[in-house]
Amino acid sequence: MNEELQTGIIRISDDVVATIAGLAALETPGIAAMSGGISEGLAKRLSGKNVQKGVSVEVGQLEAAIDLRIIVHYGIPIQEVCRQLQLNVRESVENMTGLNVVEVNVKVEGVAFKEDDVEEQQQQRLK
């Protein structure tokens, strides 16, 4: 007698993959914030509560494609930050979900200046 075990199907939600990708992005050095996109007006800085903003995913049964819209810190080489971002996001999503990440596309939508520097410059102008 042959016993066949039917385990069923595992489906990982797009929202789950987007959350994992967003958290991995925010943990990458040089990333100031995720961007809500030009269509939502000026690029918005978002807290960890809204990590899906700036992240679009397409999830199939075995593969995922991820698009990220980010704001980087001023003075850091953008190319290096984006490559590290792609690696971090790919590794996090693949390790946590088992999906094969076929692409991580990054769109840099802004540059963030250090708030301390901006405040100092404003105070010096007032003197």
Side-chain angles (χ1 to χ4, degrees):
M1 181 166 137
N2 293 335
E3 290 184 17
E4 291 184 27
L5 297 176
Q6 188 171 16
T7 57
I9 297 172
I10 298 172
R11 172 85 170 118
I12 299 173
S13 164
D14 291 5
D15 290 342
V16 170
V17 175
T19 299
I20 294 167
L23 288 171
L26 291 173
E27 292 173 355
T28 303
I31 303 298
M34 303 302 292
S35 174
I38 303 287
S39 62
E40 294 181 25
L42 297 175
K44 298 177 183 177
R45 291 181 184 214
L46 303 167
S47 69
K49 294 178 183 176
N50 253 335
V51 293
Q52 292 180 8
K53 297 292 184 183
V55 181
S56 301
V57 299
E58 291 181 31
V59 180
Q61 288 184 349
L62 301 174
E63 298 179 333
I66 301 167
D67 295 323
L68 303 168
R69 295 181 313 275
I70 61 166
I71 299 170
V72 297
H73 286 293
Y74 176 78
I76 297 176
I78 293 172
Q79 189 76 3
E80 292 175 23
V81 169
C82 291
R83 282 194 189 149
Q84 188 61 49
L85 172 63
Q86 289 173 317
L87 291 172
N88 289 351
V89 168
R90 178 184 306 274
E91 182 178 302
S92 293
V93 171
E94 287 181 349
N95 287 341
M96 292 187 74
T97 65
L99 294 168
N100 180 36
V101 177
V102 293
E103 61 185 26
V104 178
N105 300 310
V106 179
K107 181 176 183 183
V108 179
E109 291 191 344
V111 176
F113 299 94
K114 291 183 180 177
E115 292 178 18
D116 296 337
D117 292 344
V118 173
E119 289 176 13
E120 286 178 20
Q121 289 173 359
Q122 290 175 346
Q123 288 177 356
Q124 289 177 355
R125 288 181 193 164
L126 296 174
K127 292 181 181 180

